[in-house]
């Protein structure tokens, strides 16, 4: 007898739980001891692409998707009413939506705690309402290339055990706002939503249990106000149009923040112009209120800022808070967006250790300050020389003369610099740069 077959059923079931259900079902042919053992596994993983692998075009054959659906039916039937811990399902158009919802309802009735769903059945598909009133769900992950509509009876949603909700889709629609939705998840710790279709121009995200909040918003207009009352939040990733106001931002324990506050090209032009040229009702007049958001996250330890955000922050350089805890700062650059706020950011991070640039090329203005070498000025390098940064990383380096001059500028004025790493994109792969000319420049400066 082989060693695996001599193991107790519980141990062999644990081993099978690391395989897809198709793979674990294949062990039934090994011997009588393995026959149908897979139906005792509390973790089920069905993937129609795995089921059809490896023949190209197999999906289009008559009866092949029917065989996949019959396989899922058979496994669930063989299991009877045994408890299910995790249920993972990946399927595309061609699989019956009614069958999918029947499977989901069955595993929910059997007390599933972890649902991982990738369902691409078209825009007309709706999740069963039983999913939104489960008393056992702890983790719910949903992916779809199509839009996801939260159950229209969202006011009756109740997921008392849910700790993690992650939704990744082409678009996510919900009839309710966050103020009404979040109380449905009283112990929620992680909330990730991509392409969230905000319904209101005034939103408040309030939760004392959230530790991770990652939201990508979709709207056609700048919101009036956004508030965040999340005192225990540790990770904050936020993409949305710049709001006119941020009345409340409570994130005292924040460790990581990544801000992608968006503004269109026309708004960016008005940001760069004098305020007295703006009309009385121009939304850009209120962009300076972004400083309230920065004040609310000032205890953060790692800060990532996207190009639009950096440009919008130029409106609050005089009132920028000091980020005493920031050890790592990442700045994304774009040739259409300026660096006006970079000097004050460097000055206001007095304990900065690692500085990362995703690209160096940016829009040159007379307000870029001394952080770059684009325009000559008498106080050249002042904000850099006072910065305590020890490590600088430059990614997406284009090996242009302008970028080389900027590297030389950094080497000249970052007085505490110990290490500089430069990365280039080659054949879609990020590699540390091996350009002899630039490498020699860096080595010579570091040795001096």
């Amino acid at each position: 007898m082989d060693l695996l077959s001599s193991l107790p059923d519980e141990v062999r079931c644990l081993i099978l739980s690391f395989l897809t259900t198709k793979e674990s079902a294949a062990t039934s042919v090994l011997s009588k001891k393995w026959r149908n053992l897979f139906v005792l596994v509390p973790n089920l993983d069905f993937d129609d692409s795995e089921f059809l692998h490896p023949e190209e075009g197999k999906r289009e054959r008559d009866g092949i998707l029917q065989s996949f659906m019959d396989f899922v039916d058979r496994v669930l039937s063989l299991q009877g009413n045994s408890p299910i811990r995790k249920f993972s399902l990946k399927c595309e158009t061609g699989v019956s939506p009614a069958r999918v919802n029947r499977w989901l309802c069955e595993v929910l009735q059997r007390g599933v705690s972890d649902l991982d769903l990738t369902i691409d059945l078209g825009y007309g598909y709706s999740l069963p309402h039983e999913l939104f009133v489960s008393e056992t769900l702890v983790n719910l992950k949903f992916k779809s290339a199509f839009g996801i509509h939260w159950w229209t009876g969202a006011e009756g949603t109740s997921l008392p055990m849910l700790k993690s909700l992650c939704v990744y889709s082409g678009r996510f629609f919900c009839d309710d706002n966050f103020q009404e939705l979040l109380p449905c998840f009283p112990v929620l710790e992680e909330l990730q939503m991509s392409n969230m279709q905000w319904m209101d121009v005034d939103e408040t995200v309030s939760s004392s249990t959230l530790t991770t909040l990652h939201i990508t918003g979709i709207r056609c207009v700048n919101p009036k106000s956004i508030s965040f009352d999340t005192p225990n939040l540790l990770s904050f990733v936020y993409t949305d149009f710049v709001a006119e106001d941020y009345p409340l931002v409570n994130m005292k324990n924040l460790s990581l923040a990544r801000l992608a506050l968006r503004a269109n090209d026309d708004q960016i032009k008005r940001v760069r112009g004098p305020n007295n040229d703006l009309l009385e009702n121009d939304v850009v007049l209120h962009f300076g209120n972004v400083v309230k958001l920065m004040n609310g996250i000032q205890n953060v330890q790692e800060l990532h800022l996207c190009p639009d955000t950096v440009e919008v922050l130029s409106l609050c350089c005089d009132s920028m808070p000091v980020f005493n805890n920031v050890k790592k700062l990442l700045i994304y650059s774009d040739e259409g967006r300026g660096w006006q706020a970079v000097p004050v950011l460097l000055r206001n991070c007095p304990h900065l250790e690692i500085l990362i640039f995703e690209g160096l090329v940016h829009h040159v203005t007379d307000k870029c300050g001394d952080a770059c070498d684009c325009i000559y000025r008498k106080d050249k390098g002042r904000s850099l020389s006072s910065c305590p940064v020890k490590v600088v990383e430059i990614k997406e380096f284009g090996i242009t003369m302008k970028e080389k001059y900027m590297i030389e500028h950094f080497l000249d004025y970052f007085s505490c610099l110990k290490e500089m790493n430069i990365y280039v994109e080659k054949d879609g792969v990020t590699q540390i740069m091996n350009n002899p000319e630039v490498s020699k420049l860096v080595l010579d400066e570091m040795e001096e």
Side-chain angles (χ1 to χ4, degrees):
M1 181 182 294
D2 65 273
L3 291 176
L4 278 178
S5 295
S6 65
L7 294 172
D9 287 354
E10 301 81 31
V11 176
R12 287 184 292 141
C13 281
L14 178 62
I15 294 171
L16 293 181
S17 69
F18 293 101
L19 306 177
T20 66
T21 301
K22 179 190 174 186
E23 291 168 334
S24 62
T27 62
S28 294
V29 302
L30 296 176
S31 69
K32 288 183 179 180
K33 291 199 68 172
W34 288 90
R35 187 170 299 166
N36 291 336
L37 182 67
F38 74 96
V39 301
L40 301 177
V41 177
N43 296 347
L44 296 179
D45 185 351
F46 298 104
D47 184 342
D48 68 353
S49 63
E50 281 287 326
F51 192 82
L52 303 175
H53 181 79
E55 296 180 41
E56 208 173 307
K58 188 177 179 182
R59 184 182 195 89
E60 285 72 36
R61 293 184 193 171
D62 290 341
I64 195 66
L65 288 175
Q66 182 65 45
S67 65
F68 168 74
M69 293 185 282
D70 291 344
F71 175 68
V72 179
D73 282 340
R74 179 172 175 269
V75 172
L76 291 175
S77 176
L78 285 170
Q79 284 198 323
N81 293 320
S82 60
I84 293 180
R85 183 168 60 241
K86 180 177 180 179
F87 183 76
S88 177
L89 175 66
K90 297 179 182 178
C91 60
E92 298 179 7
T93 303
V95 176
S96 166
R99 296 275 279 274
V100 169
N101 283 357
R102 192 178 74 212
W103 300 334
L104 293 178
C105 288
E106 180 170 343
V107 299
L108 287 165
Q109 289 171 2
R110 290 163 57 183
V112 67
S113 61
D114 194 332
L115 270 181
D116 187 348
L117 308 174
T118 302
I119 300 177
D120 292 323
L121 300 182
Y123 289 105
Y125 173 72
S126 295
L127 292 162
H129 76 270
E130 287 86 351
L131 188 147
F132 304 102
V133 291
S134 168
E135 295 185 355
T136 60
L137 266 183
V138 176
N139 301 300
L140 173 58
K141 181 184 292 184
F142 192 98
K143 296 181 181 179
S144 177
F146 302 93
I148 296 174
H149 290 262
W150 195 263
W151 178 38
T152 53
E155 69 279 358
T157 298
S158 177
L159 296 168
M161 301 294 291
L162 194 69
K163 291 187 176 181
S164 175
L165 174 60
C166 302
V167 181
Y168 311 100
S169 73
R171 256 184 200 196
F172 179 82
F173 302 91
C174 181
D175 293 339
D176 290 349
N177 57 34
F178 270 106
Q179 282 178 284
E180 297 169 339
L181 190 61
L182 282 177
C184 301
F185 320 120
V187 297
L188 192 67
E189 296 175 1
E190 177 186 19
L191 178 61
Q192 297 192 35
M193 289 187 172
S194 69
N195 299 322
M196 173 74 181
Q197 181 71 52
W198 298 91
M199 301 306 293
D200 290 344
V201 292
D202 299 286
E203 284 281 1
T204 297
V205 181
S206 179
S207 172
S208 61
T209 59
L210 274 179
T211 58
T212 300
L213 178 62
H214 297 181
I215 297 179
T216 301
I218 295 178
R219 18 171 137 242
C220 299
V221 297
N222 296 85
K224 290 290 183 182
S225 71
I226 302 290
S227 292
F228 299 95
D229 187 11
T230 50
N232 293 305
L233 201 65
L234 300 176
S235 178
F236 179 51
V237 176
Y238 178 53
T239 301
D240 196 7
F241 277 104
V242 183
E244 293 185 31
D245 197 13
Y246 299 90
L248 172 65
V249 182
N250 180 13
M251 301 183 186
K252 297 177 181 177
N253 295 304
L254 202 59
S255 176
L256 167 70
R258 183 184 186 276
L259 301 180
L261 302 177
R262 298 197 299 258
N264 60 44
D265 289 343
D266 186 53
Q267 289 173 338
I268 291 297
K269 289 179 181 178
R270 303 204 300 276
V271 164
R272 294 172 186 160
N275 278 353
N276 53 17
D277 287 350
L278 300 177
L279 299 175
E280 185 177 348
N281 60 348
D282 196 322
V283 67
V284 174
L285 283 171
H286 304 282
F287 279 9
N289 283 329
V290 75
V291 73
K292 296 181 182 180
L293 178 60
M294 304 307 288
N295 283 329
I297 68 168
Q298 64 180 307
N299 290 335
V300 71
Q301 299 172 32
E302 181 175 336
L303 180 60
H304 300 191
L305 300 173
C306 293
D308 283 11
T309 310
V310 174
E311 177 109 31
V312 170
L313 286 176
S314 66
L315 296 175
C316 50
C317 286
D318 294 337
S319 53
M320 188 80 71
V322 175
F323 299 94
N324 282 309
N325 296 332
V326 168
K327 299 292 182 66
K328 185 175 182 179
L329 175 63
L330 194 155
I331 295 174
Y332 293 84
S333 299
D334 182 274
E335 61 182 357
R337 299 294 183 259
W339 272 17
Q340 299 95 308
V342 172
V344 69
L345 285 168
L346 295 179
R347 289 196 298 270
N348 286 25
C349 294
H351 301 108
L352 186 64
E353 296 179 359
I354 301 173
L355 176 61
I356 301 174
F357 291 99
E358 286 274 355
L360 291 176
V361 178
H362 58 278
H363 179 77
V364 178
T365 73
D366 59 358
K367 297 179 182 178
C368 276
D370 58 350
C372 65
D373 197 29
C374 301
I375 298 177
Y376 175 78
R377 58 189 74 249
K378 292 182 178 179
D379 61 349
K380 182 178 180 181
R382 182 168 60 90
S383 65
L384 275 62
S385 59
S386 63
C387 179
V389 68
K390 296 179 176 63
V391 178
V392 171
E393 291 186 8
I394 298 168
K395 299 181 179 180
E396 298 184 10
F397 185 68
I399 322 181
T400 64
M401 288 305 300
K402 182 177 181 179
E403 290 168 291
K404 291 177 183 178
Y405 288 142
M406 289 189 66
I407 287 177
E408 188 172 3
H409 179 67
F410 291 161
L411 292 168
D412 285 342
Y413 291 99
F414 276 129
S415 58
C416 299
L417 190 64
K418 302 295 183 185
E419 180 182 338
M420 177 178 282
N421 298 311
I422 305 170
Y423 300 88
V424 295
E425 290 284 333
K426 186 175 182 181
D427 299 326
V429 179
T430 300
Q431 303 176 0
I432 195 160
M433 199 194 61
N434 195 23
N435 181 282
E437 181 182 344
V438 177
S439 298
K440 184 177 186 302
L441 171 66
V442 173
L443 289 172
D444 289 347
E445 290 287 344
M446 297 296 288
E447 288 174 358
E448 290 182 3

